[in-house]
């Protein structure tokens, strides 16, 4: 049977500011990427999100980002590989503390936003992030864009890796995500997103914005919890995938590449 993990970036509220529809999304996903306080989130939000995810049987993942609350971690920054290593060790370590306090275990790491996209292209940054994850816990699954330097670096470091595709983002002809500065960056129609994900799983293909077909492998598919229609998208994907005979389950360490 075909299988896919459905993950969501969440835990991105901060102090008095609420962002995302975490409670409405959690019943439909299988993995949660939890912000660790640098691009979003704070200690209280981390604690609450870990416990909420566990209540739904959702696998726990760390979502480390750049030190950029104002820009939500989506603006590139000129950081060194050593700084990337420190950022990831610090943030993953913080979330591990909350998972252990809840009697649970962290399952995966997925860099956030600009750090994710930078590491997809930059070998040195990718290797620094992979080394950070490996040094903290080499059993953690490293999520990264299919065909990216991050996935390749994780494999070289001996980490289990999961190739990630995106349900609510468009792709350029070279397999990168369309910049959020462009009006065609996001896919707003839940049924269109579902059809694309089914094709990703069944055929390993996705249509780019220029109309060409791209080959990809999807071990896990992401939606964004801060999207305006995140709960509808999550529900449509979960129900539609299962109706199509595709099993939706978290990436197990033994299943990762």
């Amino acid at each position: 049977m075909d299988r896919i993990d459905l993950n969501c970036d969440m835990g991105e509220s901060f102090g008095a500011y609420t962002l995302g529809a975490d409670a409405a999304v959690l019943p439909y996903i299988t993995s949660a990427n939890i912000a660790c306080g640098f691009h979003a989130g704070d200690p209280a939000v981390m604690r609450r999100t870990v416990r909420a995810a566990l209540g739904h049987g959702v696998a726990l993942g760390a979502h480390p980002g750049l030190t950029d609350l104002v820009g939500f971690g989506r603006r590139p920054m000129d950081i060194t590989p050593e700084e990337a290593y420190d950022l990831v060790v610090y943030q993953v370590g913080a979330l591990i503390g909350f998972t252990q306090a809840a009697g649970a275990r962290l399952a995966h790491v997925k860099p956030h936003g600009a750090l994710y996209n930078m590491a997809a292209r930059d070998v040195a940054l990718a290797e620094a992030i992979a080394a950070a994850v490996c040094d903290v816990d080499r059993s953690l699954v490293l999520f990264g864009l299919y065909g990216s330097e991050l996935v390749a670096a994780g494999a070289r470091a001996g980490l289990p890796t999961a190739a990630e595709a995106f349900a609510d983002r468009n792709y350029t002809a070279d397999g990168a995500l369309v910049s959020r500065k462009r009006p065609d960056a996001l896919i707003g129609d839940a049924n269109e997103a579902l059809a694309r994900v089914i094709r990703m799983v069944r055929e390993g293909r996705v249509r780019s914005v220029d109309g060409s077909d791209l080959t990809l492998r999807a071990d896990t598919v992401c939606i964004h919890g801060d999207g305006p229609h995140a709960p509808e998208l999550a529900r449509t994907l979960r129900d539609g995938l299962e109706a199509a005979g595709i099993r939706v389950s978290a990436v197990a360490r033994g299943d990762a590449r």
Side-chain angles (χ1 to χ4, degrees):
M1 176 185 286
D2 293 315
R3 187 211 66 83
I4 195 69
D5 174 39
L6 190 57
N7 78 70
C8 183
D9 304 343
M10 56 178 43
E12 294 174 326
S13 298
F14 180 81
Y17 303 97
T18 299
L19 183 66
D22 294 1
V25 169
L26 273 170
Y28 303 105
I29 64 170
T30 46
S31 293
N33 317 310
I34 301 172
C36 302
F38 277 29
H39 77 276
D42 62 32
V45 172
M46 292 165 70
R47 172 178 52 80
R48 291 196 298 265
T49 307
V50 164
R51 293 188 179 276
L54 289 174
H56 287 279
V58 171
L60 304 173
H63 199 36
L66 296 171
T67 313
D68 183 19
L69 281 173
V70 172
F72 197 63
R74 288 178 174 160
R75 302 182 294 189
M77 296 174 65
D78 186 13
I79 64 171
T80 66
E82 292 76 14
E83 289 170 325
Y85 177 95
D86 294 342
L87 286 174
V88 172
V89 169
Y90 188 99
Q91 293 176 77
V92 173
L95 193 65
I96 285 176
F98 283 109
T99 61
Q100 290 181 347
R105 185 177 180 187
L106 197 68
H108 68 273
V109 175
K110 174 191 166 181
H112 165 81
L115 183 61
Y116 180 98
N117 291 324
M118 290 157 57
R121 302 181 300 269
D122 188 311
V123 176
L125 282 182
E127 289 184 340
I129 291 170
V133 175
C134 198
D135 288 349
V136 171
D137 182 349
R138 62 176 53 251
S139 73
L140 294 171
V141 181
L142 180 60
F143 285 15
L145 190 68
Y146 170 76
S148 67
E149 295 294 346
L150 183 59
V151 170
R156 287 193 299 271
L159 290 169
T161 62
E164 184 178 40
F166 287 78
D168 53 3
R169 294 290 303 276
N170 268 316
Y171 288 81
T172 62
D174 63 356
L177 297 177
V178 172
S179 169
R180 285 181 176 270
K181 295 178 181 179
R182 289 176 42 165
D184 57 352
L186 301 176
I187 296 171
D189 184 88
N191 290 317
E192 179 186 354
L194 172 62
R196 286 167 65 90
V197 172
I198 290 175
R199 187 167 184 242
M200 290 174 186
V201 175
R202 290 266 162 82
E203 301 177 27
R205 311 283 286 178
V206 67
R207 186 64 55 89
S208 71
V209 287
D210 73 346
S212 61
D213 257 359
L214 303 174
T215 299
L216 55 72
R217 187 185 83 238
D219 301 311
T220 182
V221 170
C222 176
I223 65 172
H224 291 87
D226 65 320
H229 309 295
E232 176 193 357
L233 177 59
R235 182 176 62 252
T236 299
L237 288 176
R238 182 66 181 263
D239 292 348
L241 288 167
E242 291 182 341
I246 297 171
R247 182 166 60 93
V248 182
S249 61
V251 175
R253 287 175 172 84
D255 296 335
R257 312 298 170 109

